[in-house]
Amino acid sequence: MHRQSNNLTAQTINTQKPYRFGAILSVGMGNMTRYLSFRKYAERDSEVDLTWAPIKHFIAPDEPNPLRYLPEPFYTRAVILYQSFPVLRHMHQFDAVLFHMFEAYTVACCRSVLWKQPLLIWNNDDPPVVNPSTHPLYPKDFNKLLWRHRFRLGLDLWCAKQTAAFIPWSEWGKNIWVDECGIPSQRVQPIHPGLDLELWSDMTFLRIDAAAKPKILFVGGDFVRKGGDVLLQVFSQQFAESAELHLVTKEPPTVTLPNVYVYTDLAPNDGRLAQLYAQASLFVLPTTADLSSWACLEAMASGCAVISTEVGGVRDIVRHGETGLTVPVGDASALAAAMRSLLNNPTLCHQMCVQGRSVVERDFNAAINVPRILAVMKEAVDSKRASSKSS
């Protein structure tokens, strides 16, 4: 199979392979980690020809921009569709297309009313918002009017009728699709894309210096939504003299505190980030709204105990009492107690470090999970081909 260079462009279709798939995946924010690992392991499958449409969500100033005069909010959605075009323009040539971007997915669903080729596969960590009061909404969704939530839910359910298979990232997501949206369970197979463990080594053995100050690590681009403000408050009041706090974020706090170190220039899969994980005694992400968490997986893969909250699909990653501890959202007292319990109990903390790495190797390993996702797509295509032959 033709291997593409590092630039984010489409791959030429090879019609000689048994399966022809397209993939429209976000590379924004933490999704770059998913894209790189998914592409790496998917391209090792000799049966599949893949055409990629990586979505950056923006057009750089030095790139041609035919959309530059469009007003907001049309501009951002138009950019997504524009960057999806390498796959959307060849839809009739694919057996199946994997979607992570809702705008392109919606266009494909509308197209499928007239053309049943290709099969549509929805692969996302964001299930429909059936009940806004219980869904981990992001801040941008708080002020949406009720009619907008209802319209989006109706659109989600209509698109579901055009979709061959759903591959949510968690059991939490599957339960919403099946129990609340009425999708038959056989069409919903939860598979997390997984972490590239060739890049993330188990560093548990490094955490043996009992004399050094414990290092508490936080990784979250959106500092407030990820609970960084709550963690900073707890640290400054109860741990500032006995530990260090290392914050990796794009939105650094405005206050300067002793023993607090801030990093604003680390990219996904950055070697410096891996070193921070390796040196951390504890990873803390008291997030207020998350659908999944790459940072928690990276910490666990590095052999680091984790403290987070039971929101969205995070509950499938951080298993309370097994790979770490979970606390209620916004509960500073519970967060402080959880941090103290692990910092004061090195044996328990080490057990969680070891178990966390084991869980990632078994359940969140891209080398295992990416072929599983491709297998779901192949099975759907095989079923359609068999049905066409028998009819």
Side-chain angles (χ1 to χ4, degrees):
M1 179 172 60
H2 171 68
R3 296 282 179 171
Q4 193 177 26
S5 61
N6 291 331
N7 60 342
L8 302 180
T9 57
Q11 180 178 311
T12 303
I13 296 177
N14 177 353
T15 58
Q16 297 179 350
K17 296 192 175 182
Y19 301 97
R20 300 161 299 171
F21 295 159
I24 301 178
L25 306 178
S26 171
V27 297
M29 299 296 287
N31 286 307
M32 177 60 83
T33 297
R34 179 271 188 102
Y35 172 77
L36 293 174
S37 60
F38 189 92
R39 179 163 185 162
K40 173 181 176 178
Y41 289 103
E43 290 189 339
R44 293 182 180 182
D45 191 324
S46 60
E47 293 186 327
V48 178
D49 174 71
L50 275 155
T51 297
W52 301 93
I55 309 301
K56 296 185 296 183
H57 303 266
F58 67 90
I59 298 176
D62 60 342
E63 295 178 309
N65 186 357
L67 310 173
R68 59 186 177 275
Y69 297 116
L70 283 179
E72 289 287 356
F74 304 105
Y75 178 77
T76 301
R77 297 187 185 280
V79 166
I80 292 172
L81 291 174
Y82 176 69
Q83 293 174 347
S84 303
F85 194 62
V87 168
L88 292 180
R89 70 189 293 228
H90 294 298
M91 289 290 281
H92 63 287
Q93 298 183 30
F94 298 118
D95 298 307
V97 175
L98 188 76
F99 291 90
H100 179 256
M101 301 306 303
F102 185 74
E103 290 82 0
Y105 171 62
T106 305
V107 169
C109 287
C110 293
R111 177 188 177 278
S112 69
V113 173
L114 297 177
W115 295 281
K116 300 304 180 184
Q117 183 83 1
L119 297 178
L120 309 183
I121 314 294
W122 182 233
N123 176 224
N124 203 296
D125 58 345
D126 187 7
V129 182
V130 180
N131 186 348
S133 65
T134 60
H135 200 92
L137 297 177
Y138 284 19
K140 63 183 178 62
D141 297 318
F142 284 148
N143 297 323
K144 283 186 177 179
L145 298 176
L146 183 59
W147 73 265
R148 293 189 63 185
H149 283 293
R150 289 176 175 171
F151 176 80
R152 173 57 189 268
L153 177 59
L155 186 57
D156 280 323
L157 297 179
W158 179 82
C159 287
K161 296 178 182 178
Q162 325 304 321
T163 305
F166 299 84
I167 310 177
W169 294 13
S170 63
E171 287 290 337
W172 168 77
K174 175 186 176 180
N175 292 338
I176 291 179
W177 279 112
V178 174
D179 299 337
E180 301 184 34
C181 298
I183 303 300
S185 59
Q186 62 269 24
R187 290 171 56 198
V188 186
Q189 300 193 46
I191 306 173
H192 193 283
L195 202 64
D196 185 357
L197 294 185
E198 292 180 358
L199 302 178
W200 296 95
S201 301
D202 185 355
M203 297 296 181
T204 306
F205 64 92
L206 291 179
R207 300 178 179 88
I208 57 177
D209 188 357
K213 277 187 177 182
K215 292 180 173 61
I216 301 167
L217 178 63
F218 166 93
V219 179
D222 190 334
F223 188 71
V224 175
R225 177 172 65 83
K226 299 285 187 176
D229 54 341
V230 177
L231 173 59
L232 188 62
Q233 173 193 342
V234 168
F235 178 83
S236 65
Q237 293 176 352
Q238 303 192 40
F239 299 95
E241 296 184 3
S242 59
E244 297 176 2
L245 177 61
H246 295 257
L247 303 172
V248 179
T249 182
K250 297 298 183 183
E251 300 176 354
T254 56
V255 296
T256 302
L257 297 172
N259 290 326
V260 176
Y261 304 88
V262 181
Y263 311 82
T264 60
D265 62 339
L266 302 189
N269 296 334
D270 193 310
R272 294 171 296 166
L273 179 59
Q275 186 175 7
L276 286 174
Y277 280 120
Q279 296 173 347
S281 309
L282 190 62
F283 178 78
V284 183
L285 187 78
T287 177
T288 64
D290 254 304
L291 305 170
S292 186
S293 173
W294 288 107
C296 286
L297 284 176
E298 291 168 354
M300 290 164 55
S302 303
C304 189
V306 175
I307 296 176
S308 191
T309 54
E310 272 199 4
V311 295
V314 176
R315 69 194 72 189
D316 292 350
I317 297 172
V318 185
R319 300 165 188 180
H320 184 74
E322 181 183 356
T323 63
L325 299 175
T326 56
V327 298
V329 172
D331 192 331
S333 298
L335 178 61
M339 293 168 61
R340 190 174 296 107
S341 69
L342 292 185
L343 291 175
N344 292 343
N345 192 337
T347 301
L348 175 62
C349 192
H350 179 75
Q351 291 173 351
M352 290 182 174
C353 291
V354 173
Q355 187 62 24
R357 173 71 188 193
S358 177
V359 166
V360 173
E361 289 178 349
R362 184 183 69 238
D363 299 336
F364 300 99
N365 186 344
I368 297 172
N369 287 8
V370 171
R372 290 178 62 205
I373 292 172
L374 294 179
V376 171
M377 299 177 70
K378 291 177 184 179
E379 183 180 357
V381 171
D382 290 344
S383 177
K384 180 180 178 181
R385 288 173 176 172
S387 177
S388 298
K389 288 181 181 180
S390 62
S391 61

